[in-house]
Amino acid sequence: MSRPLVLGVLNVTPDSFSDGGEHLAPDAAVAHGLRLTADGADLVDVGGESTRPGAAPVTPAEEAGRVLPVVAALVAEGVRVSIDTVHASTAEAAVDAGAVVVNDVSGGTADPRMLAAVAATGAEYVVMHSLGPAGAAVTYRDVVREVADELERRVAAAVAAGIPEQRIVIDPGLGFAKGAADNWRLLAALPAFVATGRRVLVGASRKRFLGALLPDGAPMAARDLPTAVVSALAARDGAWAVRVHDVAATRLALEVAARAAEGTA
């Protein structure tokens, strides 16, 4: 079983749902990015705008001011960085600063310049499925088929804009305009997404549908155990990468899953 890449989440925001404000200062953000790398992150996914339900939008200029010093400092330390943004100008500037992946939770729909901008940068591009923000109410007749079809449309748009297919990664968008049952169905169908031949990113970390498994009032960090289990299951099903807050727990879970699959000590 091949081990998926691990993207460590670095929110340079005051209002992210699980760690808002903890890493807003550039020094604190860089230090956390280095910790994620030491814990085994293959990439550090830097974002400057919260996607939690009800979060206030951030201008591209404000977002860039938060993330660009962090991206540049991490790259200078030899860290591989992805940029989590829906804004073309932020994506361009982050890649200029050394980021190698653009992770777009809008799938190219939020900024009409995004697809052409990514094509020009040469970066890898993560196309996430989202018909609305986290917490939005969307009803699906067949969530797996509808998500797969929309992702194919977004990939086609990206290719038409000049992004080579081999640079595109798909993400089913767990938690974005999806209920708990939708998320579990998408996870169960992960092999079907992998069977398309596209690389698949799974982003379940600390999301509400995992929190629902825990007692009321459980701290956010308690969601890291179910997240690590999801990471191991995603590895079994062929995911290219998982995006997590607790890198150490996920790396350990992936090591257990790999040894169990291979029968090695």
Side-chain angles (χ1 to χ4, degrees), residues 236-254:
R236 177 200 64 186
D237 290 339
W240 169 75
V242 292
R243 180 179 183 274
V244 301
H245 295 81
D246 186 340
V247 169
T250 278
R251 284 299 301 262
L252 182 58
L254 293 177

Side-chain angles (χ1 to χ4, degrees), residues 63-244:
E63 179 187 51
R66 292 176 180 177
V67 301
L68 293 182
V70 177
V71 171
L74 289 174
V75 169
E77 293 287 342
V79 176
R80 284 172 54 82
V81 173
S82 60
I83 182 66
D84 178 1
T85 183
V86 300
H87 301 296
S89 59
T90 301
E92 291 168 326
V95 174
D96 283 346
V100 295
V101 177
V102 176
N103 182 13
D104 180 0
V105 300
S106 81
T109 62
D111 186 334
R113 288 190 55 245
M114 178 63 92
L115 298 181
V118 173
T121 67
E124 305 283 294
Y125 185 52
V126 179
V127 175
M128 197 192 81
H129 177 276
S130 175
L131 297 183
V138 175
T139 300
Y140 302 89
R141 294 174 62 88
D142 181 343
V143 68
V144 174
R145 174 49 47 200
E146 291 173 54
V147 168
D149 288 349
E150 177 62 17
L151 281 172
E152 283 303 306
R153 286 189 286 270
R154 298 315 310 155
V155 168
V159 171
I163 304 175
E165 285 201 51
Q166 64 268 24
R167 280 173 35 203
I168 298 174
V169 178
I170 60 173
D171 178 347
L174 300 176
F176 282 79
K178 299 173 184 75
D182 298 322
N183 295 320
W184 290 117
R185 291 186 185 106
L186 288 167
L187 282 173
L190 185 57
F193 288 96
V194 172
T196 65
R198 304 195 188 284
R199 293 175 294 167
V200 180
L201 171 66
V202 175
S205 187
R206 294 184 177 179
K207 290 190 175 173
R208 184 178 301 177
F209 77 104
L210 297 180
L213 302 173
L214 301 169
D216 290 344
M220 189 62 66
R223 301 182 185 186
D224 291 333
L225 175 57
T227 296
V229 175
V230 169
S231 296
L233 295 173
R236 177 200 64 186
D237 290 339
W240 169 75
V242 292
R243 180 179 183 274
V244 301

